[in-house]
């Protein structure tokens, strides 16, 4: 099926990905590209959105897109910096604003019955975040709406399907933002709302069938949402030719290796469980530095996976659960090449499985879409709703060196904590939770005996993407019950603390 794609040109705004997510919520397919890299297949895009930017259209750091194939030829919505750009370089004027234009404001319409504002009432709340302001509209500009502090809050260009807004429709505080995007994309640009989880599954399975034919594919399952949904899509496309490998590094949650392996088998996946716990623990022996632990785990994982991949004769592809945020190219403030320089592997030194061709069925999806796609394939709710869990697992939650005994203690503590979150219906309102084993012994008293045992910290955070996070205000009663249960049941622990640090300045994991 040919979708009417929407192109989002990114000028480096912190909200660009949010624009894409709002558009996708309307069942419309969109892609984010850097402002200076208009895709070659521009004819496949029906509408274009210009994002905001930390830069100013005045001065030297102005970011210039090439709109030759866009202006007047496609429906165009310019947001914040985009709106200022259109004004400043088409006969209008942009100047520093006198008042701080940040936060909530209310729209008042200048022109009634403008389709752009269909189903939106005057007074509707919008979110402003800018330090320049449009003093004068561009040539053929027609004012559509103002707020108390911002006269030129929304305008259109006569004779074109070009609309511009100073506020951010993508943020939650703009109450009718989704309606506004729908008005522009569906009713003005005429874009189809046909990007649904079901259509994604059908199209992806067809594409995978065609691309992979009778080839064999190997995929490393982690127990997480992304690799599981990727596996399910591939399974639908190529069945037994998908060879899944699920490695137990000995640092998973209690019983997780067994339980998740059974769940994968229940889904019909061709999966092999490889218990390499001893190999990982050997490699970790004596290591205390977090980065050294991560490296050791990464190295052993590659060795184990490579050994297993060699067992599959004639395998041609490596499947990965890469998602869209991992592949969006970021825009640097200067508009030059992005600051993140990708490391290049020495091809000769790569493990064999890394020389395989790579297939990434989820690389167009955001995390919430991965979950919806999984749900549309009737995948288990528990599997899709699982908290993120780091690749190095409990190794980075055991501060200091790692022993089998410490892993056992932490698995027991973690199982009680997570089990109680589920029992008290708190699990789904928490983004990530886990326990940390501290390298601290403290004095306690049990019965009449003095104890000198380990202390554990519990951590539960709210977040959307792990970049920032807040600790969760768990009920005291829950903490009390959980702490008692841990101290009574887990031999070797006599003290429980709750981590009340946000990220930043702390991080989610302690290592
Ligand atoms: P931090 O601790 O950086 O964690 O605030 C942010 C998110 O990343 C996860 N995390 C990792 N995931 N390998 C992973 O696969 C790692 O080495 C790693 N370190 C942190 C963490 O669990 C949280 O979700």
């Amino acid at each position: 099926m040919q979708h009417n794609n929407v192109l989002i040109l990114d000028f480096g705004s912190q909200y660009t990905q949010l624009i894409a997510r709002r558009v996708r919520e309307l069942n419309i397919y969109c892609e984010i590209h850097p402002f200076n890299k208009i895709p070659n297949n521009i004819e496949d895009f029906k509408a274009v959105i210009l994002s905001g930017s930390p830069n100013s259209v005045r001065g030297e750091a102005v970011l210039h897109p090439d709109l030759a194939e866009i202006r007047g030829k496609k429906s165009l919505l310019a947001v914040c910096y985009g709106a200022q750009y259109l004004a400043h370089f088409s006969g209008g004027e942009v100047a520093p604003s006198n008042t701080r234009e940040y936060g909530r404001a209310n729209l008042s319409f200048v022109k009634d019955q403008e389709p752009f504002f269909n189903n939106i009432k005057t007074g509707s709340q919008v979110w402003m975040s800018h330090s320049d302001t449009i003093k004068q509209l561009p040539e053929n500009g027609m004012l559509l709406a103002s707020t108390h502090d911002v006269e030129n809050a929304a305008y259109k260009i006569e004779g074109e399907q070009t609309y511009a807004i100073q506020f951010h429709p993508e943020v939650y505080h703009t109450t009718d933002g989704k309606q506004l995007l729908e008005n522009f994309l569906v009713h003005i640009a005429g874009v189809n709302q046909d990007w649904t989880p079901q259509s994604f599954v059908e199209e992806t399975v067809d594409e995978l069938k065609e691309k992979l034919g009778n080839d064999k594919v190997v995929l490393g399952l982690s127990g997480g949402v992304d690799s599981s949904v990727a596996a399910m899509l591939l399974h639908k496309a190529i069945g037994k030719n998908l060879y899944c490998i699920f490695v137990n590094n000995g640092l998973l949650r209690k019983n997780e290796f067994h339980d998740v392996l059974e769940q994968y088998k229940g889904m019909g996946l061709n999966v092999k469980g490889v218990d390499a716990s001893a190999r990982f623990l050997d490699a970790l022996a004596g290591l205390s530095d977090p980065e050294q632990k991560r490296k050791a785990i990464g190295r052993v994982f590659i060795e184990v996976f490579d050994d297993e991949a060699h067992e599959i004769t004639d395998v041609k592809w490596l499947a990965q659960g890469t998602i869209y945020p991992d592949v969006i190219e970021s825009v640097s403030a200067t508009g030059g090449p992005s600051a993140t320089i990708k490391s290049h592997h020495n091809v000769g030194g790569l493990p064999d499985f890394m020389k395989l061709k790579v297939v990434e069925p989820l690389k167009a999806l955001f995390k919430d879409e991965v979950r919806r796609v999984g749900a549309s394939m009737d995948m288990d709710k528990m599997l899709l709703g699982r908290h993120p869990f780091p690749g190095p697992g409990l190794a980075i939650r055991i501060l200091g060196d790692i022993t089998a005994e410490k892993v056992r203690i932490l698995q027991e503590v973690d199982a009680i904590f997570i089990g109680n979150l589920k029992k008290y219906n708190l699990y789904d309102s928490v983004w990530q939770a886990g326990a940390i084993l501290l390298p601290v012994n403290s004095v306690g008293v049990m019965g009449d005996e003095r104890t000198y045992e380990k202390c554990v910290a519990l951590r539960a955070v709210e977040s959307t993407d792990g970049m920032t996070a807040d600790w969760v205000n768990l009920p005291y009663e829950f903490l009390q019950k959980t702490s008692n249960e841990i101290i009574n049941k887990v031999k070797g622990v006599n003290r429980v603390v709750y981590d009340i640090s946000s990220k930043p300045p702390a991080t989610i994991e302690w290592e």
Side-chain angles (χ1 to χ4, degrees):
M1 193 198 300
Q2 181 67 46
H3 296 282
N4 297 140
N5 300 350
V6 172
L7 170 65
I8 298 168
L9 285 183
D10 179 30
F11 295 86
S13 163
Q14 57 172 329
Y15 298 135
T16 304
Q17 288 197 24
L18 263 187
I19 303 180
R21 286 168 61 181
R22 292 284 166 273
V23 172
R24 301 269 188 103
E25 279 170 19
L26 294 166
N27 294 333
I28 292 172
Y29 180 71
C30 63
E31 288 177 17
I32 299 174
H33 289 265
F35 72 93
N36 53 358
K37 291 193 183 160
I38 311 262
N40 294 332
N41 62 333
I42 183 72
E43 66 280 359
D44 292 344
F45 294 88
K46 192 151 189 189
V48 178
I49 299 176
L50 307 183
S51 84
S53 175
N55 292 37
S56 167
V57 295
R58 301 170 302 105
E60 295 196 346
V62 50
L63 308 177
H64 282 288
D66 176 3
L67 299 180
E69 294 305 315
I70 294 170
R71 261 304 285 273
K73 297 182 177 161
K74 295 183 187 292
S75 301
L76 176 64
L77 174 63
V79 175
C80 194
Y81 176 92
Q84 296 176 358
Y85 184 86
L86 291 190
H88 196 65
F89 291 100
S90 306
E93 189 196 341
V94 172
S97 35
N98 298 329
T99 50
R100 208 170 109 87
E101 291 172 358
Y102 184 84
R104 293 175 179 79
N106 298 89
L107 286 180
S108 60
F109 301 139
V110 174
K111 190 171 167 288
D112 278 339
Q113 303 208 315
E114 166 53 51
F116 189 57
F117 289 122
N118 254 353
N119 293 325
I120 301 177
K121 293 202 169 64
T122 195
S124 176
Q125 178 182 293
V126 295
W127 183 257
M128 295 285 185
S129 175
H130 57 112
S131 48
D132 281 352
T133 198
I134 300 167
K135 290 276 180 222
Q136 197 186 317
L137 294 183
E139 229 171 277
N140 299 328
M142 179 195 269
L143 186 64
L144 299 181
S146 304
T147 66
H148 184 267
D149 292 318
V150 180
E151 189 192 351
N152 296 313
Y155 66 88
K156 72 175 182 184
I157 307 277
E158 284 186 284
E160 293 176 21
Q161 280 194 345
T162 298
Y163 290 78
I165 47 182
Q166 183 59 78
F167 54 90
H168 289 270
E170 66 277 18
V171 305
Y172 171 74
H173 302 290
T174 296
T175 323
D176 294 309
K178 195 169 164 188
Q179 177 71 54
L180 189 97
L181 288 171
E182 183 176 338
N183 290 347
F184 170 71
L185 291 171
V186 180
H187 304 302
I188 294 173
V191 173
N192 295 332
Q193 293 175 286
D194 54 9
W195 167 257
T196 60
Q198 292 79 4
S199 72
F200 174 84
V201 172
E202 279 166 32
E203 288 163 36
T204 306
V205 168
D206 285 349
E207 279 166 24
L208 289 171
K209 275 185 183 157
E210 192 170 334
K211 185 176 199 167
L212 303 171
N214 283 322
D215 290 353
K216 290 182 185 169
V217 178
V218 61
L219 176 143
L221 284 169
S222 69
V225 180
D226 300 342
S227 65
S228 306
V229 174
M232 203 56 199
L233 282 165
L234 282 153
H235 173 70
K236 275 181 179 286
I238 60 169
K240 294 286 177 219
N241 271 344
L242 173 67
Y243 290 77
C244 300
I245 298 169
F246 181 36
V247 176
N248 184 7
N249 58 13
L251 301 154
L252 302 173
R253 299 195 132 116
K254 187 180 175 188
N255 296 334
E256 181 145 287
F257 181 60
H258 172 267
D259 294 352
V260 175
L261 191 58
E262 288 308 308
Q263 200 169 16
Y264 282 143
K265 287 182 180 160
M267 286 155 59
L269 293 179
N270 175 13
V271 54
K272 179 173 179 190
V274 182
D275 189 354
S277 313
R279 221 164 138 177
F280 281 90
L281 274 184
D282 276 355
L284 284 166
L287 298 184
S288 300
D289 177 75
E291 288 314 302
Q292 281 187 14
K293 290 190 210 170
R294 281 190 170 85
K295 283 201 182 105
I297 292 167
R299 191 188 66 239
V300 177
F301 181 82
I302 286 176
E303 288 167 13
V304 172
F305 197 82
D306 205 36
D307 289 352
E308 292 302 323
H310 272 103
E311 302 279 307
I312 311 162
T313 44
D314 271 349
V315 62
K316 294 228 163 40
W317 298 83
L318 171 71
Q320 292 183 326
T322 316
I323 61 172
Y324 196 40
D326 305 330
V327 297
I328 296 173
E329 213 180 320
S330 57
V331 170
S332 70
T334 57
S338 169
T340 329
I341 297 160
K342 289 187 186 137
S343 53
H344 286 267
H345 299 284
N346 171 358
V347 175
L350 283 179
D352 281 349
F353 77 85
M354 282 190 134
K355 295 178 192 156
L356 299 173
K357 291 186 272 184
V358 173
V359 54
E360 300 171 312
L362 306 179
K363 72 167 190 257
L365 301 186
F366 288 105
K367 189 92 181 178
D368 44 337
E369 293 176 314
V370 174
R371 292 206 169 90
R372 270 184 269 144
V373 163
S376 85
M377 293 189 289
D378 289 329
M379 287 175 68
D380 185 75
K381 279 202 181 69
M382 292 285 279
L383 185 65
L384 297 176
R386 293 175 96 190
H387 290 172
F389 187 68
L394 300 182
I396 55 168
R397 294 184 181 167
I398 295 172
L399 307 198
D401 70 323
I402 292 161
T403 61
E405 175 61 3
K406 288 183 187 173
V407 173
R408 182 201 65 79
I409 291 178
L410 189 57
Q411 281 180 334
E412 297 295 335
V413 171
D414 178 81
I416 292 173
F417 182 35
I418 300 295
N420 280 352
L421 284 172
K422 288 180 180 162
K423 185 168 152 192
Y424 292 94
N425 278 330
L426 293 163
Y427 185 84
D428 290 334
S429 53
V430 168
W431 189 77
Q432 187 174 22
I436 299 98
L437 185 66
L438 305 184
V440 171
N441 277 40
S442 75
V443 175
V445 54
M446 266 199 187
D448 289 332
E449 296 284 312
R450 174 189 189 272
T451 59
Y452 188 58
E453 292 178 333
K454 289 268 173 286
C455 173
V456 293
L458 306 182
R459 181 102 166 110
V461 295
E462 283 164 0
S463 178
T464 48
D465 52 12
M467 301 298 285
T468 59
D470 259 331
W471 59 278
V472 179
N473 201 343
L474 291 174
Y476 281 161
E477 199 194 335
F478 168 85
L479 289 170
Q480 187 184 35
K481 286 203 163 101
T482 304
S483 159
N484 279 349
E485 196 175 335
I486 290 170
I487 294 173
N488 284 330
K489 288 192 180 161
V490 185
K491 198 166 168 295
V493 174
N494 68 356
R495 196 172 292 266
V496 176
V497 297
Y498 186 53
D499 182 349
I500 52 167
S501 334
S502 328
K503 172 184 181 176
T507 52
I508 297 176
E509 304 294 347
W510 281 41
E511 285 198 334

